[in-house]
Amino acid sequence: MGFDERGVHNMSNPLNKYCSEANDLKDVKDAMNKIQKLRAQMKNPTRDGMNEALRDAKMSALMEISALEMAQGATSWAPFSAASDSQLYALLGQYEQGLKLHCIAKIGEKAFDEQMKEIQEKTGKRDSFGI
């Protein structure tokens, strides 16, 4: 057990680390489920479904998705309701990439690939695009 800078016995460090890792894992699993929602919309898009999947993705990976949007030249943001169906569809892959980056930042690429494979096996969903 360690002591903090005041000399106080510090038992919370391992607990904080565990809680942080547990929160990261929950966050990553949530993001992976959102990737599955985006992929489902890529295969069978509906306007409401795309709106919901994009909104959910942006809530999980706002920084990563915003960075991708800026990198691809977005200078202004409009609500999804103002976008055409084709514009919404075009965002699905970009938002999937943002979620992937979010997950990799938390758990690493190898762990992400393993977890994603596990989710796909559980849901029986295989796809042909590489993420």
Side-chain angles (χ1 to χ4, degrees):
M1 296 291 157
F3 294 89
D4 67 12
E5 62 279 355
R6 301 167 301 178
V8 176
H9 194 259
N10 189 353
M11 290 178 47
S12 64
N13 262 352
L15 183 58
N16 284 342
K17 184 176 184 220
Y18 172 77
C19 289
S20 175
E21 289 172 1
N23 285 337
D24 283 350
L25 186 58
K26 181 186 177 302
D27 185 40
V28 165
K29 289 203 180 250
D30 182 54
M32 288 179 172
N33 287 329
K34 291 175 181 178
I35 287 172
Q36 293 296 94
K37 284 174 102 173
L38 290 168
R39 289 178 176 183
Q41 286 302 309
M42 288 177 193
K43 291 178 183 173
N44 188 18
T46 65
R47 184 163 184 85
D48 289 340
M50 288 189 291
N51 275 320
E52 181 182 337
L54 292 168
R55 194 171 38 250
D56 287 351
K58 201 157 194 178
M59 285 192 302
S60 285
L62 179 62
M63 288 182 7
E64 294 84 357
I65 289 170
S66 295
L68 285 171
E69 288 173 332
M70 287 188 288
Q72 293 180 4
T75 56
S76 63
W77 287 267
F80 295 132
S81 58
S84 70
D85 289 351
S86 62
Q87 288 170 321
L88 291 176
Y89 189 85
L91 291 174
L92 294 172
Q94 180 178 323
Y95 279 41
E96 179 182 2
Q97 183 67 21
L99 284 168
K100 178 183 178 185
L101 293 172
H102 176 74
C103 293
I104 289 171
K106 291 193 175 278
I107 64 170
E109 190 163 10
K110 183 177 180 193
F112 169 79
D113 290 341
E114 289 170 1
Q115 289 293 314
M116 202 67 211
K117 182 179 178 185
E118 183 179 312
I119 286 175
Q120 290 170 341
E121 287 171 357
K122 283 181 183 175
T123 61
K125 294 180 182 172
R126 293 267 177 209
D127 54 48
S128 59
F129 28 95
I131 194 160

